[in-house]
Amino acid sequence: MQFSWLEGVSKKWKDILVIGRTIERDGKKYHIIGMTMEEYAELYIIEPYEEQKRSNRKKKRTQRMMLKEQETEISSYLNCQEFIIGNKKLCTQSGCGGVLMSENYEEIKLFLDLMDAGWEIPEWLKHEDWDRLQLITLRIDNLKRLPKYSPDMPITIKHGSTAKKHLLSRAKSITVKIGKSVSFQFTAHDGEKVQCYINNVVLIDVWEEAEKQFSNAKYRERFTEEQLQEIENNYYEALTQNCPKGMYYLGIEYECNRDINLQFYSKEFLESYPENHSGSATFLLMRLNPEKKTGMHGLPLKGYALGTPFSPDTREVSIELLFYMEKVEEWEEYV
């Protein structure tokens, strides 16, 4: 440990505000602790944290196993856009969060300072284990002083739109052919039958697409020559590992009768084991026909590219629909 570490712990706040409001939603409890002001204002919320159950770490896991282990739902205040306390609107600029740890003395000091300012730990929170809680810190945009607050003031929280992941109870297997269309159905999480149409399947030369992107004048004017060189070097290095020159990505153009985004994977990829790559090259995954908004069935046209390499003579691929993403609209919460 170094003495410089103490500087972050010993900081003094210009102002501190206790809120101490508990929110109960979907069987879970959240607690708005309060705010501090130093160079900028920050708002703190304690949330439940449940570590994802993992399979035996000693057992070698396939890509399918790892994808299924990923979180399917994240209920967090990190995505909040505004807090209205009384008639004062607070716009969030950025946020971060992490599980509480007893060795994090900055957080301990924060809690002690808030207690000195009048924060009372609610009864339900007193005996909760820290490893089952996380602290969300939201930086507030352009606030010169902390708002006035009293316990009877209403609080309105505006949640931004986000995407919710739904894992299929049984992955949908599909065989796709280059240049051919195919239709299929699957059962959504709520029991609804979803009709989907794959209108086209193409091989994408991502090296050629990258060269077009980097030579685009409008793209180049956003960076200095040094920045461009670094971006290109990093991208091509990652591309060499992910999709060597002469190999292609598989592009799928589709439409569904439900507003969702499908996540396809090749069976070969799902049955493989993870490899260590030093970077990613994904900014070229795009809709195949960006000028077209709707498909041949009159539904919103979408695209997906499988980020695994295929040889140029590929004509048929076995893929699986493992999960889909559904948009959650903006909503307001009244506390």
Side-chain angles (χ1 to χ4, degrees):
M1 189 173 74
Q2 299 177 344
F3 275 98
S4 59
W5 168 83
L6 296 172
E7 294 175 346
V9 179
S10 63
K11 61 186 176 185
K12 302 293 184 183
W13 309 109
K14 291 180 181 177
D15 198 5
I16 192 165
L17 169 67
V18 171
I19 296 176
R21 191 77 69 90
T22 293
I23 302 168
E24 294 191 39
R25 175 163 52 85
D26 298 330
K28 297 180 181 179
K29 291 184 178 181
Y30 307 81
H31 187 74
I32 306 175
I33 311 172
M35 300 180 65
T36 60
M37 171 75 81
E38 194 183 17
E39 296 178 12
Y40 39 78
E42 291 184 325
L43 186 148
Y44 307 97
I45 301 175
I46 290 177
E47 295 187 349
Y49 173 81
E50 295 180 7
E51 187 176 4
Q52 187 75 8
K53 292 182 180 179
R54 305 291 183 186
S55 55
N56 189 341
R57 285 289 186 171
K58 294 181 180 179
K59 181 180 178 181
K60 196 173 183 182
R61 294 173 298 154
T62 63
Q63 295 283 7
R64 180 186 282 105
M65 293 166 65
M66 295 184 68
L67 285 166
K68 284 186 174 182
E69 287 176 357
Q70 291 177 0
E71 293 285 349
T72 57
E73 181 178 358
I74 299 176
S75 177
S76 174
Y77 285 85
L78 267 177
N79 196 46
C80 293
Q81 296 178 333
E82 290 179 2
F83 284 76
I84 303 175
I85 300 178
N87 58 4
K88 181 67 175 179
K89 181 186 291 187
L90 310 176
C91 298
T92 58
Q93 182 185 59
S94 59
C96 61
V99 62
L100 292 177
M101 294 184 290
S102 58
E103 61 269 25
N104 189 328
Y105 292 101
E106 287 190 44
E107 289 180 349
I108 294 174
K109 176 67 162 48
L110 169 67
F111 296 146
L112 291 173
D113 288 347
L114 283 160
M115 291 175 71
D116 287 342
W119 177 50
E120 295 183 3
I121 305 172
E123 285 297 323
W124 69 269
L125 188 60
K126 285 184 178 180
H127 303 292
E128 287 286 330
D129 291 332
W130 275 32
D131 58 4
R132 297 182 60 189
L133 300 169
Q134 63 180 345
L135 179 68
I136 301 298
T137 302
L138 298 171
R139 183 173 296 184
I140 306 301
D141 188 32
N142 296 325
L143 194 65
K144 295 182 179 179
R145 62 179 62 89
L146 296 182
K148 294 181 179 179
Y149 173 76
S150 61
D152 59 344
M153 276 187 178
I155 297 177
T156 300
I157 304 171
K158 185 175 181 180
H159 296 258
S161 63
T162 185
K164 186 175 182 179
K165 177 180 174 181
H166 296 290
L167 186 68
L168 270 65
S169 58
R170 179 181 296 178
K172 181 70 177 181
S173 297
I174 311 154
T175 298
V176 295
K177 297 180 180 181
I178 303 301
K180 302 293 184 179
S181 61
V182 65
S183 63
F184 64 94
Q185 278 190 345
F186 70 91
T187 303
H189 69 284
D190 55 7
E192 179 188 351
K193 294 289 184 181
V194 181
Q195 179 66 49
C196 299
Y197 306 92
I198 292 178
N199 296 338
N200 197 15
V201 181
V202 299
L203 291 171
I204 303 173
D205 186 343
V206 284
W207 286 84
E208 182 180 332
E209 294 295 333
E211 290 168 2
K212 289 179 182 177
Q213 178 80 356
F214 289 130
S215 62
N216 185 293
K218 288 185 178 180
Y219 177 81
R220 298 187 69 84
E221 68 185 14
R222 294 159 52 192
F223 307 97
T224 65
E225 282 302 319
E226 288 184 1
Q227 289 173 326
L228 278 168
Q229 192 62 50
E230 183 179 0
I231 292 170
E232 288 186 40
N233 290 342
N234 291 339
Y235 184 82
Y236 283 125
E237 181 182 351
L239 195 55
T240 300
Q241 297 181 58
N242 289 275
C243 186
K245 202 161 191 177
M247 301 293 281
Y248 293 73
Y249 280 162
L250 191 75
I252 298 176
E253 187 179 78
Y254 69 92
E255 50 184 318
C256 294
N257 64 353
R258 182 164 173 164
D259 188 14
I260 55 178
N261 292 305
L262 306 181
Q263 305 288 311
F264 297 105
Y265 300 91
S266 71
K267 280 195 174 184
E268 184 179 358
F269 169 78
L270 291 173
E271 292 166 2
S272 68
Y273 296 95
E275 296 179 7
N276 292 324
H277 288 158
S278 63
S280 62
T282 57
F283 76 82
L284 293 169
L285 306 189
M286 60 195 72
R287 189 162 61 212
L288 306 183
N289 292 298
E291 71 280 359
K292 292 173 63 178
K293 302 298 182 184
T294 57
M296 62 181 70
H297 300 88
L299 300 168
L301 186 63
K302 299 181 181 182
Y304 186 79
L306 279 69
T308 48
F310 294 89
S311 64
D313 60 352
T314 299
R315 290 295 173 263
E316 183 176 296
V317 180
S318 294
I319 64 173
E320 287 187 16
L321 173 62
L322 197 61
F323 60 88
Y324 63 92
M325 307 296 292
E326 188 167 35
K327 184 178 180 181
V328 178
E329 299 292 343
E330 294 181 356
W331 60 285
E332 290 187 350
E333 184 176 21
Y334 304 97
V335 182

